[in-house]
């Protein structure tokens, strides 16, 4: 009976249609990646003469090395390697601070059982729906006034401030779903607010910390707009370097180099997802988007 029911379940038209839809969706999203990878391994002559989906006749990683190099000729600089360290030194502290502040805010709001807490949470959530493009002018004025415009501390602070509403909302929903007995037991043992947060709540939030950290890292690493405006030339992240490379108008447009540079820029976020995949899925299942 069990084998028969399993066979019938596999032959269920609805299940088959679901699998077909999932495979078609995966192919739809993976096709651009396949095109980029294939053409980053071809010469320009091969790209011009063949199809974008054709396999490379003689695959080569020479164009990856060109995309990565930081060699300059005259006033023209090609390569995205200078932006790697900039992106790392921007993303790491910005992710750490925004996640830490968001976790502390979320815990405080989840424990504050008063109408004022709901109003504060509503105000924070409202910040999620205001496009930061609309706040650029006052943000630029404030950054200039504080001497932070075009500086490394300035771009880190901008990412932290814009990330706090998002991280606070996720952590508040997560902590609101935990049993109140945990904090009550900590208070009975004499633990303070910060001790309860550091010794009880944070250890229970590992999966959630990974979820929020991965989402924040992805958003900050892939950001171009804020990095272009606030980072300055010396702190320009990889996305700005990629844009400069792709929009280079001197000579022939090297499609293979541009595609290789695109892959190199996207690799760190892909590696982060691969390394944290198990914890990311657990965090989502534990209520990362609940509430």
């Amino acid at each position: 009976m069990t084998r028969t029911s399993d066979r019938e379940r596999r032959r269920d038209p609805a299940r088959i249609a679901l699998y077909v839809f999932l495979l078609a969706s995966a192919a739809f999203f993976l096709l651009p990646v396949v095109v980029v990878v294939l053409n980053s391994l071809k010469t320009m002559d091969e790209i011009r003469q063949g199809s974008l989906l054709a396999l490379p006749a003689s695959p080569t990683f020479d164009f990856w090395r060109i995309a990565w190099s930081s060699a300059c000729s005259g006033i023209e600089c090609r390569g995205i390697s200078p932006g790697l360290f900039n992106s790392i030194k921007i993303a790491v502290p910005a992710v750490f601070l925004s996640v830490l502040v968001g976790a502390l805010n979320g815990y405080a709001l989840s424990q504050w059982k008063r109408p004022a807490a709901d109003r504060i949470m509503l105000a924070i959530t409202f910040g999620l729906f205001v496009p930061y493009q609309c706040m650029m002018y006052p943000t630029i004025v404030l950054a200039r006034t504080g001497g932070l415009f075009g500086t490394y501390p300035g771009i880190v602070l901008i990412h932290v401030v814009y990330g706090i509403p998002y991280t606070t909302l996720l952590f508040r929903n997560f902590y609101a779903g935990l049993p109140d007995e945990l904090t009550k037991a900590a208070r009975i043992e004499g633990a303070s607010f910060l001790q309860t947060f550091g010794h009880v709540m944070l250890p229970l939030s590992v999966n959630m910390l990974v979820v929020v950290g991965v989402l924040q890292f992805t958003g900050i690493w892939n950001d171009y707009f804020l990095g272009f405006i606030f980072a300055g030339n010396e702190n320009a992240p990889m996305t700005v370097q990629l844009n400069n490379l792709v929009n280079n108008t001197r000579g022939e447009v090297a499609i293979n180099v541009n595609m290789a540079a695109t892959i190199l820029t996207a690799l760190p976020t892909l590696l982060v997802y691969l390394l944290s995949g198990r914890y990311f899925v657990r965090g989502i299942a534990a209520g990362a988007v609940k509430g």
Side-chain angles (χ1 to χ4, degrees), residues 119-140:
R119 288 193 287 269
I120 292 174
M121 192 66 243
L122 180 62
I124 293 175
T125 306
F126 178 75
L128 293 172
F129 297 96
V130 179
Y132 54 76
Q133 292 87 346
C134 299
M135 299 183 285
M136 278 303 98
Y137 180 72
T139 305
I140 291 173

Side-chain angles (χ1 to χ4, degrees), residues 69-217:
S69 67
S70 57
C72 296
S73 175
I75 63 172
E76 177 187 352
C77 290
R78 298 178 62 84
I80 59 173
S81 58
L84 175 63
F85 179 69
N86 290 339
S87 291
I88 292 175
K89 73 177 186 178
I90 291 171
V92 171
V95 170
F96 175 79
L97 291 174
S98 61
V99 171
L100 179 62
V101 174
L104 188 58
N105 287 347
Y107 172 62
L109 290 171
S110 69
Q111 296 300 306
W112 194 12
K113 309 296 184 181
R114 298 200 176 179
D118 294 333
R119 288 193 287 269
I120 292 174
M121 192 66 243
L122 180 62
I124 293 175
T125 306
F126 178 75
L128 293 172
F129 297 96
V130 179
Y132 54 76
Q133 292 87 346
C134 299
M135 299 183 285
M136 278 303 98
Y137 180 72
T139 305
I140 291 173
V141 172
L142 289 173
R144 284 190 181 279
T145 304
L148 296 173
F149 186 79
T151 65
Y152 168 65
I155 183 61
V156 172
L157 180 62
I158 292 296
H159 281 303
V160 171
V161 171
Y162 283 154
I164 285 176
Y166 182 70
T167 58
T168 299
L169 175 64
L170 293 179
F171 276 110
R172 188 261 184 186
N173 290 341
F174 175 75
Y175 288 133
L178 296 179
D180 292 335
E181 286 75 11
L182 294 172
T183 55
K184 292 179 181 178
R187 293 195 197 101
I188 293 174
E189 294 294 329
S192 64
F193 174 83
L194 290 178
Q195 288 174 332
T196 303
F197 174 71
H199 296 289
V200 178
M201 289 302 170
L202 279 184
L204 294 173
S205 313
V206 173
N207 294 331
M208 186 62 185
L209 289 168
V210 172
V211 170
V212 180
V214 168
L215 294 176
Q216 276 294 96
F217 178 83

Side-chain angles (χ1 to χ4, degrees), residues 33 226 237:
V33 179
L226 297 177

Side-chain angles (χ1 to χ4, degrees), residues 27 29 43 48 58 64 77 88 98-99 134 138 140 158 173 176-177 187 235 241 244 256 264 271 280 286:
F29 287 107
T43 63
R48 284 191 292 263
S58 301
W64 289 52
C77 290
I88 292 175
S98 61
V99 171
C134 299
I140 291 173
I158 292 296
N173 290 341
R187 293 195 197 101
N235 304 301
Q241 300 282 356
N244 295 339
N256 43 14
L264 290 171
L271 291 175
F280 186 83

